[in-house]
Amino acid sequence: MMKRMFVVLCCTLGLLMPGPIYAENIKMDEVVVTATRAEALRYQIPASITVISRKEIEEGQAATLSELLRDVPGLDVVQQGGAGKTTSIFIRGAESRHTLVLIDGIRVNSPTAGGFDFADLYIGDVERIEIVRSPLSTLYGSDAIGGVIQIITKRGTDSSATVSFEGGSYGTT
């Protein structure tokens, strides 16, 4: 009888004691702004969205935005020659003037031609890119018939400085 009570007591104490605490990485669903013009969870939006984070930008090792966007499904990047030449992006077959480009929420498409030239847009200061492959003309107007590319830049701080040096051959620096 005493042995049985001891076992029951040990089992009860074992259940009452907290178990080991494990540190888990819980991935929260991403919040996007471009598709609804307000913060919304990515899974709640019925549009095809690609979000490229700063980590993915660094891992991609692309120098320009057009190089980075070549791997995004549903986007066709067309460059009219070598580096620095006119570069257009077509979302799901729509014309390039039907792709709205926003930088920190500000329209940067040409007011006359309608498109945006991605040729000289470098990604050093880009924090995140949201691409919505869906007609959003009801939210953004006729510029967004094919979709929207929102480029979110890094925020500056008061106490930072950047120094860079380059070296070359034949005594040039």
Side-chain angles (χ1 to χ4, degrees):
M1 179 75 172
M2 190 68 136
K3 192 175 186 182
R4 188 177 294 167
M5 284 185 69
F6 179 73
V7 171
V8 170
L9 181 66
C10 287
C11 291
T12 305
L13 287 175
L15 292 174
L16 294 176
M17 293 179 65
I21 299 173
Y22 297 102
E24 294 183 23
N25 290 333
I26 300 171
K27 184 178 180 188
M28 309 237 349
D29 201 23
E30 292 177 303
V31 174
V32 293
V33 178
T34 307
T36 59
R37 283 192 155 179
E39 290 184 358
L41 293 176
R42 186 174 175 183
Y43 75 87
Q44 294 175 331
I45 299 170
S48 179
I49 300 173
T50 300
V51 177
I52 304 172
S53 66
R54 182 68 202 162
K55 181 181 176 189
E56 293 170 329
I57 291 170
E58 290 172 356
E59 289 173 356
Q61 298 181 353
T64 62
L65 186 66
S66 59
E67 290 176 17
L68 182 69
L69 296 179
R70 287 186 196 279
D71 296 331
V72 176
L75 266 63
D76 290 323
V77 179
V78 177
Q79 189 170 353
Q80 304 292 324
K85 298 294 181 181
T86 303
T87 305
S88 301
I89 292 184
F90 303 86
I91 295 180
R92 291 187 172 172
E95 296 180 27
S96 65
R97 63 188 177 98
H98 292 152
T99 299
L100 178 63
V101 180
L102 304 169
I103 297 179
D104 292 331
I106 299 171
R107 292 172 183 256
V108 292
N109 288 49
S110 168
T112 54
F116 178 74
D117 186 9
F118 288 86
D120 297 319
L121 192 57
Y122 294 94
I123 57 174
D125 292 328
V126 174
E127 181 66 31
R128 171 184 168 104
I129 303 167
E130 294 180 8
I131 303 160
V132 183
R133 293 178 301 277
S134 178
L136 294 176
S137 56
T138 56
L139 290 176
Y140 293 102
S142 62
D143 292 348
I145 291 173
V148 177
I149 299 174
Q150 165 97 284
I151 302 162
I152 301 164
T153 59
K154 292 180 183 177
R155 301 291 175 218
T157 59
D158 293 337
S159 61
S160 68
T162 303
V163 177
S164 64
F165 296 96
E166 294 185 17
S169 58
Y170 304 107
T172 60
T173 55

